[in-house]
């Protein structure tokens, strides 16, 4: 019997790469998408998956990516991130547009394109990687908060619209996870990125990947709607224990 197919966006690093590996370990045939094809191919090789170039901000790229996928049982919308940490007063349009295009429009484009194949599978599932930032606004988080709140809205609307259809929808909202996330947010400034995780014990990409894999392997009648996943050292977006 052929394996179920899982598609993971943003699988070239961090949570996406770890999720692709975890899903392969759980018995899925994995299709990995991201812009950095060299890194993507390394991850694909490690998990026996298929690497396909994908820029979720570009409809032509999304079309080429999704056209190359015949069967799809699970879509993990993980591509995303933050750029900048300015106040609303100092917000830069291009940063907000990047965050909206990547997190929100990217999730919309890939989901819309793969929904017919997810439905055809007879047991489809969409897992969206949101964030604690999509539940709880914080000062200097405006653009990322707005984008992840929109991902949360999209997830819940999709769940409502798929009612009665063989599609499950889950939103996983991690808190602090040590990945390249902060390096991207601070435009390559390693010191600023390191300071985010200093003195604390954050989640790892593998912690989130295990959660993705657990959600993905529940029986078909079980829909895990939402998960807020925090490190023990974090109780809300900005309350982080740094006593280590
Ligand atoms: P990461 O290591 O920077 O991974 C981000 C991934 O998104 C990369 O694989 C990147 O690949 C991909 N990506 C970015 N823009 C893309 C585009 N236009 N098209 C396709 N892929 C794109 O950070 P991460 O922490 O694993 O982030 C994964 C997700 O978790 C994001 O949605 C993030 O918002 C969310 N999250 C992270 C944290 C955290 O603290 N780390 C907490 C909560 C939620 P390429 O650059 O190769 O395209």
């Amino acid at each position: 019997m052929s394996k179920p197919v899982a598609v993971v966006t943003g699988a070239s690093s961090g949570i996406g790469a770890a999720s692709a590996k975890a899903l392969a370990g759980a018995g899925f045939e994995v299709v990995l998408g991201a812009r950095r094809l060299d890194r993507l191919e390394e991850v694909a090789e490690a998990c026996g998956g298929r690497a396909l170039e994908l820029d979720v901000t570009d409809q032509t790229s999304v079309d080429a990516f999704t056209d190359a996928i015949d069967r799809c049982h699970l879509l993990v919308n993980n591509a995303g991130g933050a750029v900048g940490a300015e106040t609303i007063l100092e917000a830069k349009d291009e940063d907000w547009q990047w965050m909206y295009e990547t997190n929100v429009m990217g999730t919309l484009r890939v989901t819309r394109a793969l929904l017919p194949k997810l439905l055809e599978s007879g047991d489809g599932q969409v897992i969206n990687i949101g964030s604690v930032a999509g539940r709880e606004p914080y000062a200097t988080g405006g653009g990322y908060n707005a984008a992840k709140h929109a991902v949360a809205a999209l997830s819940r609307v999709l769940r409502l619209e798929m009612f009665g259809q063989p599609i499950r929808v889950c939103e996983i909202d991690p808190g602090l996870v040590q990945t390249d996330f902060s390096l991207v947010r601070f435009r390559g400034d390693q010191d600023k990125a390191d300071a985010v995780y200093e003195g604390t014990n954050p989640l790892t990409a593998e912690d989130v990947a295990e959660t993705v894999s657990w959600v993905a392997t529940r029986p078909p009648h079980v829909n895990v709607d939402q998960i807020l996943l925090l490190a023990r050292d974090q109780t809300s977006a900005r309350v982080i224990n740094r006593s280590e």
Side-chain angles (χ1 to χ4, degrees), residues 141-156:
Y144 188 54
N145 288 142
K148 288 301 195 188
H149 274 75
V151 171
L154 187 159
S155 304
R156 289 166 212 176

Side-chain angles (χ1 to χ4, degrees), residues 1-241:
M1 213 172 76
S2 54
K3 290 179 174 182
V5 175
V7 175
V8 182
T9 70
S12 59
S13 65
I15 294 168
S19 296
K21 290 175 187 165
L23 290 169
F28 285 87
E29 183 183 318
V30 184
V31 180
L32 304 89
R35 295 166 304 176
R36 290 170 295 173
L37 203 52
D38 50 339
R39 292 187 63 155
L40 198 64
E41 276 166 352
E42 273 175 37
V43 182
E45 201 176 325
C47 65
R50 185 155 66 114
L52 294 174
E53 196 168 358
L54 169 69
D55 181 348
V56 297
T57 69
D58 175 356
Q59 186 62 52
T60 307
S61 170
V62 172
D63 290 343
F65 178 78
T66 54
D67 285 352
I69 296 165
D70 295 335
R71 298 182 303 124
C72 181
H73 299 80
L74 168 66
L75 166 61
V76 182
N77 282 307
N78 164 78
V83 176
E86 278 76 34
T87 59
I88 301 286
L89 182 66
E90 295 184 331
K92 296 189 178 69
D93 286 11
E94 61 269 27
D95 291 346
W96 279 59
Q97 276 154 359
W98 186 98
M99 290 187 269
Y100 208 82
E101 271 297 319
T102 309
N103 294 282
V104 189
M105 296 306 294
T107 298
L108 170 65
R109 289 189 187 99
V110 182
T111 305
R112 186 175 54 201
L114 287 177
L115 261 184
K117 286 165 191 164
L118 287 160
L119 280 164
E120 255 173 51
S121 77
D123 175 25
Q125 196 169 15
V126 179
I127 299 178
N128 291 332
I129 305 299
S131 170
V132 64
R135 294 177 179 233
E136 201 190 322
Y138 55 90
T140 75
Y144 188 54
N145 288 142
K148 288 301 195 188
H149 274 75
V151 171
L154 187 159
S155 304
R156 289 166 212 176
V157 169
L158 184 65
R159 170 86 166 109
L160 295 171
E161 291 177 354
M162 288 299 113
F163 180 60
Q165 306 273 5
I167 300 274
R168 290 177 279 163
V169 182
C170 176
E171 178 194 345
I172 298 178
D173 293 332
L176 207 61
V177 190
Q178 191 153 13
T179 63
D180 288 345
F181 174 86
S182 296
L183 198 61
V184 173
R185 179 170 223 171
F186 296 115
R187 303 180 173 84
D189 185 329
Q190 190 70 58
D191 291 342
K192 274 192 181 171
D194 289 346
V196 173
Y197 310 107
E198 213 168 276
T200 190
N201 195 2
L203 296 172
T204 64
E206 288 70 28
D207 295 326
V208 184
E210 268 184 36
T211 309
V212 168
S213 175
W214 178 78
V215 170
T217 52
R218 292 313 85 211
H221 68 286
V222 177
N223 193 102
V224 181
D225 280 49
Q226 294 168 23
I227 293 182
L228 174 64
L229 187 71
L230 301 177
R232 190 181 61 190
D233 268 354
Q234 180 175 28
T235 50
S236 72
R238 280 288 164 94
V239 180
I240 296 164
N241 175 33

